Amino acid sequence: MTDTVSTPAPVYSVPQERRIVTAIPGPKSQELHERRLAVVPTGVSSALPIYIARANGAVLVDVDGNQFVDFGAGIGVTTVGHTETAVVEAAAGQLQDVIHTLFTITPYEEYVRVAELLAQYTPGDHAKKSVLVNSGAEAVENGVKIARKFTGRRAVAVLDHAYHGRTNLTMAMNYKAMPYATGFGPFAGDVYHVPNSYPYRDGLSGPEAAARTIAYLEKVIGASDLACLVAEPIQGEGGFIVPAEGYLAALQDWCTANGVVFIADEIQSGMARTGAFYASEHFGLVPDLVLSAKGIAGGLPLAAVTGRAEIMDSAQPGGLGGTFGGNPVAAAAAVAVFETIERNDLLAEAERIERALKPALLELQEKYDIIGDVRGIGAMIAIELVKPGTAQTTKEPNPDAVNRIIASAAQQGILFLNAGTWGNVLRFLPSLAVSDELIADAVSVIDDAIAAL
Ligand SMILES: Cc1ncc(COP(=O)(O)O)c(C=O)c1O
């Protein structure tokens, strides 16, 4: 007998394993899909048309009873795990108390508490304030709006390979026209795309890449007209691009020296995903504004702009807000997410996932020359696939290989997402509940899929 107290293993209502019992998609999913085709427009596509009935931890259960290990987490939303108990209880409790008042009419504590937590957990110990909204794109829109108001300047700079959303302004901010913008113009003006650091493809050091970006900012826009630079510390849809060391810090220094608001879009990289509350911390950044969304409320729609109090206060009363922004149920869930991250030491879980995944992927890279790059931090890891024989030369993107791996894994009960400007990046974006065993299993499925290509 020992006296050591150990943390109890989490209890899941769905066994944490993959289990395929029908063809994929199964008959019930196919039936639902037929109904959907009649009433949901083509523009709303689904990567994998299996219809989900339940979800828990790292596992999805479809309407046919198939179980999928989820390496997408609804694109980085269910970071604390699907239907995490504390989140469910907080939201359910809030549903009984008050569902809606509209914070800009009659406020409530949950909104204030989320703003306090954001002030505590976003980088930097300066005075901060937050506005809560409904989606990532809305957070980006508000961040830009506030930066323009504060600086009195018009221009917005974004990095190549960025993704910021599907509203009119954010469509103009994305790198990829197809599918996000093609045919949907005219777009918002005064948005400038500047080169990013992409170590695998540009081979530049951080200072070299920063000098190139800053030259664009100065020559193409001019610092005196620039309101803000919006940067994802680790680009999400762009393919989990981790910039070269010193790159982002140099950009932030340039922004500070030139009165430009530095906005970190942490919508995909934030909320404990990378083993820090915000990925900015890995790069020594203290952004003027930080954008949160996705993982902030465990699956409920909530997003935030958090920033220096003096910048946030530049908007006039009534200039910020919206009917559902900071909804009490979503806000109560967000409070539970912050508490769960602390209580379950989820920052350490993200680090564990990197330790379990990255070396295994690097081993695969030794074996298969189509794996050009293995990169990422914490539970935000990716492999970039190139055409055979091009890894040392042109690094020709290989989206076909990614699509075939994803299709093969889905048939076996593992859900992966692609990413990248050329669609040639396979990303691992699981909830932090995913076990080492499920990770090892997923890597062996990828190994077999690549061998079969
Ligand atoms: C970095 C980043 N910014 C903004 C967005 C847009 O968020 P939403 O889809 O909630 O509007 C996303 C969504 O994928 C994102 O990854």
Side-chain angles (χ1 to χ4, degrees):
M1 289 279 285
T2 68
D3 309 296
T4 20
V5 181
S6 59
T7 317
V11 177
Y12 294 108
S13 61
V14 172
Q16 298 295 288
E17 61 193 23
R18 59 188 169 104
R19 194 166 68 103
I20 295 300
V21 294
T22 69
I24 302 297
K28 289 184 181 156
S29 273
Q30 288 185 34
E31 209 179 299
L32 278 166
H33 202 60
E34 284 304 310
R35 282 171 53 194
R36 168 232 180 97
L37 291 177
V39 290
V40 180
T42 320
V44 187
S45 57
S46 293
L48 183 60
I50 49 163
Y51 286 73
I52 302 303
R54 282 176 71 203
N56 187 234
V59 172
L60 302 172
V61 186
D62 77 6
V63 286
D64 291 288
N66 299 297
Q67 286 186 197
F68 296 83
V69 177
D70 182 9
F71 277 86
I75 315 198
V77 169
T78 54
T79 308
V80 295
H82 286 283
T83 57
E84 205 285 326
T85 310
V87 172
V88 172
E89 284 172 0
Q94 187 61 43
L95 279 170
Q96 303 288 337
D97 293 342
V98 54
I99 300 177
H100 177 80
T101 66
L102 213 175
F103 192 77
T104 57
I105 306 289
T106 44
Y108 40 88
E109 182 179 355
E110 290 70 24
Y111 191 118
V112 179
R113 185 68 194 127
V114 173
E116 287 170 348
L117 289 163
L118 284 164
Q120 181 183 341
Y121 285 107
T122 51
D125 49 17
H126 47 280
K128 296 173 205 156
K129 294 190 174 182
S130 292
V131 55
L132 304 186
V133 290
N134 303 293
S135 69
E138 210 187 333
V140 177
E141 294 257 0
N142 277 279
V144 169
K145 193 166 131 174
I146 294 164
R148 281 179 164 153
K149 181 81 184 182
F150 176 71
T151 57
R153 302 176 184 177
R154 60 175 177 84
V156 174
V158 290
L159 299 177
D160 286 352
H161 306 286
Y163 177 77
H164 296 293
R166 286 186 174 89
T167 56
N168 187 263
L169 172 63
T170 56
M171 279 194 290
M173 294 170 70
N174 297 334
Y175 184 67
K176 242 168 138 166
M178 194 64 186
Y180 307 121
T182 304
F184 296 140
F187 302 107
D190 275 322
V191 175
Y192 296 83
H193 294 256
V194 299
N196 190 15
S197 161
Y198 193 158
Y200 175 60
R201 291 197 173 268
D202 65 25
L204 299 178
S205 70
E208 288 166 345
R212 183 176 65 170
T213 306
I214 290 167
Y216 261 76
L217 295 171
E218 289 181 341
K219 298 291 169 215
V220 180
I221 312 167
S224 61
D225 272 340
L226 185 58
C228 58
L229 169 65
V230 186
E232 298 160 78
I234 301 174
Q235 290 183 319
E237 302 308 297
F240 290 12
I241 303 168
V242 182
E245 203 181 325
Y247 173 75
L248 288 172
L251 293 194
Q252 178 174 351
D253 287 348
W254 181 87
C255 285
T256 306
N258 289 281
V260 175
V261 177
F262 182 79
I263 305 182
D265 179 343
E266 291 258 18
I267 286 165
Q268 195 158 151
S269 58
M271 298 309 297
R273 170 128 317 263
T274 64
F277 256 95
Y278 287 90
S280 288
E281 294 169 42
H282 297 296
F283 307 102
L285 305 175
V286 180
D288 298 313
L289 302 183
V290 175
L291 312 180
S292 310
K294 289 192 182 284
I296 192 173
L300 278 90
L302 190 76
V305 183
T306 303
R308 294 184 185 281
E310 66 277 18
I311 300 180
M312 296 299 291
D313 276 337
S314 61
Q316 62 277 22
L320 304 177
T323 301
F324 291 119
N327 166 270
V329 181
V335 173
V337 165
F338 278 102
E339 289 169 358
T340 302
I341 292 170
E342 284 288 8
R343 191 183 49 252
N344 296 356
D345 196 4
L346 291 185
L347 301 182
E349 292 301 300
E351 288 171 356
R352 168 188 63 77
I353 289 169
E354 177 176 342
R355 281 197 304 277
L357 190 50
K358 221 170 174 182
L361 294 173
L362 286 165
E363 258 180 52
L364 282 192
Q365 189 184 23
E366 296 279 303
K367 209 163 146 186
Y368 300 111
D369 82 331
I370 65 166
I371 302 183
D373 195 23
V374 177
R375 57 178 179 249
I377 304 179
M380 193 171 182
I381 305 283
I383 54 178
E384 177 159 353
L385 300 196
V386 294
K387 294 263 170 73
T390 69
Q392 308 303 325
T393 56
T394 55
K395 301 174 177 170
E396 203 183 326
N398 192 346
D400 184 50
V402 170
N403 292 338
R404 287 165 68 182
I405 294 168
I406 290 174
S408 162
Q411 292 299 321
Q412 297 171 70
I414 304 185
L415 180 59
F416 288 120
L417 305 173
N418 70 2
T421 291
W422 301 276
N424 66 321
V425 174
L426 183 71
R427 60 178 145 174
F428 300 81
L429 196 64
S431 93
L432 304 181
V434 75
S435 68
D436 288 358
E437 292 70 33
L438 291 178
I439 291 170
D441 178 50
V443 172
S444 83
V445 165
I446 292 171
D447 190 348
D448 294 346
I450 299 180
L453 284 176

